[in-house]
Amino acid sequence: RDFRWTVPGRFNIGVAVADRWAAEDPDRTALFDYRADGAPDRLSFSELASKSNAFANALRSRGIRRGDRVALLLPQSFETVIAHLAIYKLGAIAVPLSAAFGSDALEVRLRGSEPRAVLGERESLERVTALGFEGVLIDVDNDLERLLADASPHFTAAATTPDTPALLVYTSGTTG
């Protein structure tokens, strides 16, 4: 009964998740995983902050603006986290979609969310193109590293509030 949320007037998820931690302890591990060959892989908070900043700049250079929806057809990966944070920093809205969706389910979600861009692996993007999507397509396997290398790692995040839309989630549809 005594608990109260302390909600700031300005809040950006991308800054809270990456930049704030990077300022406090830049070398602290933010993400940890194992590569396909079994070798460990890690990303520090400073790397996460700079990569998400660079990707926010890259998205902005492709015409993505505050309030735009950006669909993500990506598996769980470092790239997915970087993309989410970049979208939040822009003040855009992330729309995570499963690569396992069939054409009908994918089409319904793309039509309903009206994304300005779709991020995905080549095969997923081919399916999106076959459905008639005409927005920005970013192939994370072939384009992401170049986009990150060409963009500044410095970005001023959008001044979002706790009420600013950031994430649009569709159910799997298993209940009909």
Side-chain angles (χ1 to χ4, degrees):
R1 78 175 181 207
D2 295 329
F3 177 79
R4 298 287 181 266
W5 287 104
T6 303
V7 181
R10 297 274 169 117
F11 183 79
N12 185 289
I13 298 170
V15 171
V17 170
D19 300 33
R20 181 176 62 103
W21 290 96
E24 290 179 20
D25 190 357
D27 295 326
R28 184 175 182 179
T29 299
L31 301 172
F32 184 85
D33 200 0
Y34 289 96
R35 298 181 193 146
D37 65 4
D41 198 6
R42 70 177 285 280
L43 196 67
S44 70
F45 277 104
S46 64
E47 292 169 316
L48 182 59
S50 65
K51 286 177 184 268
S52 60
N53 284 342
F55 198 45
N57 281 315
L59 290 171
R60 180 180 284 162
S61 74
R62 305 291 280 285
I64 309 306
R65 301 287 181 253
R66 182 181 179 132
D68 287 341
R69 287 159 306 283
V70 180
L72 297 99
L73 271 165
L74 297 169
Q76 293 181 9
S77 65
F78 288 4
E79 293 78 15
T80 304
V81 176
I82 291 165
H84 269 278
L85 297 182
I87 292 164
Y88 302 146
K89 286 179 179 185
L90 269 171
I93 302 166
V95 185
L97 301 173
S98 173
F101 283 146
S103 293
D104 290 344
L106 186 56
E107 183 176 24
V108 165
R109 287 157 177 84
L110 289 173
R111 188 179 307 119
S113 65
E114 298 179 333
R116 182 155 170 78
V118 177
L119 314 176
E121 296 171 327
R122 182 183 48 81
E123 183 179 306
S124 294
L125 295 180
E126 288 172 356
R127 293 175 43 223
V128 169
T129 301
L131 293 171
F133 180 76
E134 296 179 358
V136 176
L137 296 171
I138 298 176
D139 181 339
V140 295
D141 290 329
N142 296 311
D143 298 334
L144 186 61
E145 286 305 316
R146 179 184 47 77
L147 289 171
L148 293 178
D150 291 347
S152 170
H154 304 287
F155 185 81
T156 301
T160 53
T161 71
D163 295 324
T164 302
L167 182 66
L168 175 60
V169 178
Y170 284 85
T171 66
S172 65
T174 57
T175 61

